[in-house]
Each structure stands twice: as C-alpha cells, then as structure tokens.
Amino acid sequence: MKQVEETGSDVASEASPAAVPRVVPANEASWEDIHKVFGTRGDPSTCQCQWFQNPGHSFRELTDEVREIRLQSQTACGNPSAAKTSGLIAYLGDEAVGWCAVEPRTAYPRLLDSRIPWSGRDEDREDPDIWALVCFVTRTGYRRQGVSRALAAAAVDFARERGARALEGYPMVLPPGKKAVWGEMFVGSRNVFVDAGFIEVSHPTPRRVVMRIDLRSEEQSGNVG
C-alpha cells in the first residue's frame, strides 16, 4: 500500500506535546473521525487501507469511492458492540490523529504472495491465531507526538484480548544517512515495534524486517511463580 505515515489534514496540533495519545478500536470511533485521519488528499485518502486486502490488479480496479465504502464497513465505525473491527484510532484530546490496521494475518491476502513475511521461516500462512499490524497513518500536524508508538502498544493489547497467539509487523529499517522513499513508511519503523515489545525474527530484505511478539508465551511467563 503506497501510503505515507503523515498525511491528511493541515490542521495544526492543538494538543500539548506531552499529551499521551488515547487509542480506541475503530468501531468505537465515528466515520467522521476516521475520515479526518485518512484525509482528502495523499495516498491514505486514495488507498483507504485496502492495499493488503486486495492483491494483484484488484486494488487498481477499485475506485476511491469503493475503497472508502470498504473501509467504513471493515471498521464497523459507530458501532461499539460490533463483533470485530479492522483497526485502531488514536486521539489527542478530542482530535482523531492516527490509525493502524491490525487483524488476523489471514485478513491480508497480499501477504500470502509477498516474500517478506515468509522468507527464511517455516510458517503456516493460514494460521488464524497469528495477527498482523500492517499500516500506520498519522495526520499532518501531529507528527512526533508518539502517535505511532501509542498505536503499536495498543495493538498488542487489542490482539491479545481477542485471542491472538502472536502479533507480527513488517517495518522499515533505514540505513544510517538514508531517507525513506516517499510512501514506504506506512508499515512503520523498526523502533516503533521494538518499543512495543516486538523482537526481530527475520530480515528478508536490506530495508525490511519481520517483528513479532508472542502473546501467549508472554502471558505464561507472567504467570510463573
């Protein structure tokens, strides 16, 4: 998905730089708030977090309107009692400022054809108990306020509470002095995952790593003694 991490609105942050983002499941957010995060211009506004769900040519065949409708349906926004949702929304104060996509890994068909998650690992691609954190969006004006880190940490709890055995991510690693190519940081940075407790399990390309946190073993170790 060709998204940038920072996009959407030109509204400057009115929250204190020291404020801690509050994160809720997307079904507890309104469509208005989700729409604010994705904005009306830039890659997130056109992708609507549909890249991983629509592999091959199917993504390009979707209109922007259809992608938006699909996101609205997938999030079950405005329905706190919904059985499932496709991501999390971060707030600073009352302002919606960020999004991450987190679901069972099987919800992302494009991952099945990508070598990044599987290179050098013996993994069951159809295991529904392994979840994936695949996308971050932060609105312009709210950068460097811990939004992505808050979302990653909340995604761990979100997946654990819903029975996930493990949670994975596929972030970027930038060599010293190198800058990200436009759009490639939507998968997050390695440090964001490290801070949330993930460890590196493979390094399939020079710029991509697979990060993972085993949730059930984490619970078992916490119960020892």
Side-chain angles (χ1 to χ4, degrees):
M1 177 168 47
K2 298 180 180 179
Q3 292 191 0
V4 292
E5 186 182 1
E6 307 296 333
T7 190
S9 168
D10 287 329
V11 178
S13 172
E14 297 178 356
S16 165
V20 177
R22 172 176 61 91
V23 179
V24 303
N27 61 300
E28 297 180 13
S30 67
W31 174 243
E32 179 183 7
D33 282 351
I34 294 173
H35 186 66
K36 277 185 180 180
V37 173
F38 281 84
T40 58
R41 62 181 182 175
D43 289 335
S45 69
T46 56
C47 178
Q48 296 290 313
C49 214
Q50 299 305 303
W51 177 254
F52 284 105
Q53 289 92 338
N54 297 277
H57 296 293
S58 62
F59 175 80
R60 291 193 293 272
E61 292 170 354
L62 299 174
T63 65
D64 292 353
E65 181 182 9
V66 168
R67 293 172 192 166
E68 189 173 272
I69 290 170
R70 290 192 176 187
L71 177 64
Q72 190 170 4
S73 175
Q74 291 157 4
T75 59
C77 53
N79 183 9
S81 62
K84 63 179 183 179
T85 187
S86 59
L88 306 173
I89 294 291
Y91 290 84
L92 280 168
D94 294 328
E95 197 69 29
V97 298
W99 153 271
C100 73
V102 55
E103 290 190 88
R105 193 172 57 187
T106 52
Y108 304 119
R110 190 176 290 273
L111 288 180
L112 299 178
D113 298 325
S114 171
R115 73 183 181 92
I116 288 172
W118 320 111
S119 180
R121 297 199 299 158
D122 183 17
E123 278 282 306
D124 177 4
R125 301 187 185 197
E126 301 296 333
D127 188 340
D129 293 332
I130 309 302
W131 283 43
L133 172 55
V134 297
C135 175
F136 294 87
V137 178
T138 303
R139 285 174 61 190
T140 299
Y142 297 92
R143 194 174 183 177
R144 302 184 188 280
Q145 297 191 53
V147 174
S148 292
R149 281 176 167 78
L151 285 164
V156 172
D157 293 335
F158 180 77
R160 182 192 296 113
E161 290 165 1
R162 284 154 181 78
R165 188 170 77 252
L167 177 62
E168 292 189 346
Y170 315 100
M172 294 294 303
V173 176
L174 298 179
K178 297 290 184 179
K179 293 184 178 181
V181 176
W182 180 258
E184 66 183 352
M185 292 302 294
F186 75 93
V187 292
S189 69
R190 183 181 184 276
N191 287 342
V192 165
F193 285 86
V194 169
D195 289 350
F198 291 70
I199 62 171
E200 182 180 319
V201 295
S202 69
H203 205 316
T205 75
R207 295 167 69 90
R208 293 291 291 277
V209 293
V210 176
M211 305 294 290
R212 179 171 173 132
I213 181 168
D214 290 310
L215 303 174
R216 294 183 186 173
S217 62
E218 181 186 67
E219 290 178 354
Q220 291 169 358
S221 65
N223 292 329
V224 173

